[in-house]
Amino acid sequence: GAVVSQHPSWVICKSGTSVKIECRSLDFQATTMFWYRQFPKQSLMLMATSNEGSKATYEQGVEKDKFLINHASLTLSTLTVTSAHPEDSSFYICSARTSQETQYFGPGTRLLVL
Amino acid sequence: QKEVEQDPGPLSVPEGAIVSLNCTYSNSAFQYFMWYRQYSRKGPELLMYTYSSGNKEDGRFTAQVDKSSKYISLFIRDSQPSDSATYLCAMSVQAGTALIFGKGTTLSVSS
């Protein structure tokens, strides 16, 4: 149990385009999901907390207009990187919180912006 | 000072060795402590979840939390080449809230 998927697993896009990443909890409902970003040889840095049916809470320094988060159902949260630039290239990982308060992570999405 | 400090390694051990991984933290309000294993280009996998001080054992893995010293450890017994990965400690003030991660320790177990 407690499986989280992400799609796509990797994406390459041109600078200025937008990219949508999906995070799904496959066998449980998650009212809360988290989005993290991980640069090479660095730890996971929390970007935002996504709550079903309400606006996401962004961490300091994360542009909410650039990283759009939608949590429209109990099993799906999406992160859209708008007008992507090369410095947005990173490994984006989501996690979903179970009813037992533990977090399970998705496999991550590797984004490369050219 | 960062909230969570973790030696990035790399740590290299022979197969069968006992591995000790550690993290220190500065926020005394942390109560929930986790260890995740992350293989290259994959998402973190939850290994151990503990609350407050004490020990927890699961198979070859033992997690220890010493809140008085703000120090947590993960021990791996009879290490295997398949244990080669990056190990991340994580902690939170309340259950289910956002996690604060250490940088991760890269472990290599040679056969």
Side-chain angles (χ1 to χ4, degrees):
Chain A
V3 179
V4 178
S5 71
Q6 278 184 245
H7 178 81
S9 56
W10 61 272
V11 57
I12 302 173
C13 69
K14 292 182 179 179
S15 185
T17 61
S18 294
V19 175
K20 180 187 281 189
I21 302 170
E22 293 184 348
C23 177
R24 292 182 186 272
S25 55
L26 297 185
D27 51 0
F28 66 99
Q29 293 182 331
T31 56
T32 302
M33 292 184 176
F34 302 92
W35 287 96
Y36 294 83
R37 182 167 51 183
Q38 186 178 34
F39 291 105
K41 298 192 183 299
Q42 298 294 316
S43 189
L44 283 77
M45 297 299 294
L46 179 68
M47 298 176 67
T49 301
S50 169
N51 294 298
E52 187 266 338
S54 64
K55 290 185 178 180
T57 303
Y58 290 82
E59 294 300 299
Q60 192 174 9
V62 177
E63 299 175 58
K64 63 180 181 180
D65 294 329
K66 181 171 184 61
F67 298 99
L68 301 179
I69 291 172
N70 184 277
H71 194 157
S73 79
L74 289 171
T75 59
L76 173 64
S77 176
T78 61
L79 168 68
T80 301
V81 183
T82 62
S83 186
H85 289 283
E87 57 266 28
D88 298 324
S89 299
S90 188
F91 191 47
Y92 292 86
I93 309 174
C94 72
S95 71
R97 187 177 73 187
T98 69
S99 58
Q100 287 78 39
E101 306 288 0
T102 52
Q103 288 186 42
Y104 289 88
F105 284 81
T109 296
R110 193 161 298 279
L111 170 64
L112 177 61
V113 184
L114 302 177
Chain B
Q1 181 187 13
K2 291 189 176 181
E3 276 198 288
V4 180
E5 299 273 6
Q6 184 177 9
D7 186 342
L11 179 62
S12 296
V13 301
E15 183 176 358
I18 297 175
V19 176
S20 173
L21 304 167
N22 312 293
C23 287
T24 58
Y25 60 94
S26 58
N27 187 351
S28 58
F30 286 137
Q31 295 192 85
Y32 298 86
F33 304 91
M34 285 131 278
W35 284 96
Y36 286 86
R37 177 173 61 194
Q38 186 177 25
Y39 293 109
S40 180
R41 299 175 180 268
K42 301 290 186 183
E45 171 194 6
L46 180 64
L47 285 177
M48 302 290 281
Y49 179 94
T50 55
Y51 168 71
S52 195
S53 288
N55 296 354
K56 185 174 184 178
E57 187 173 323
D58 184 1
R60 295 185 295 113
F61 299 92
T62 300
Q64 288 185 352
V65 175
D66 182 349
K67 289 191 69 180
S68 63
S69 301
K70 299 192 184 70
Y71 186 89
I72 68 171
S73 302
L74 177 71
F75 296 95
I76 307 175
R77 292 184 298 281
D78 188 25
S79 55
Q80 303 295 310
S82 58
D83 294 328
S84 299
T86 296
Y87 290 80
L88 299 153
C89 64
M91 44 200 80
S92 65
V93 174
Q94 295 179 342
T97 58
L99 300 175
I100 306 300
F101 281 86
K103 251 188 171 182
T105 300
T106 300
L107 171 67
S108 176
V109 182
S110 57
S111 56

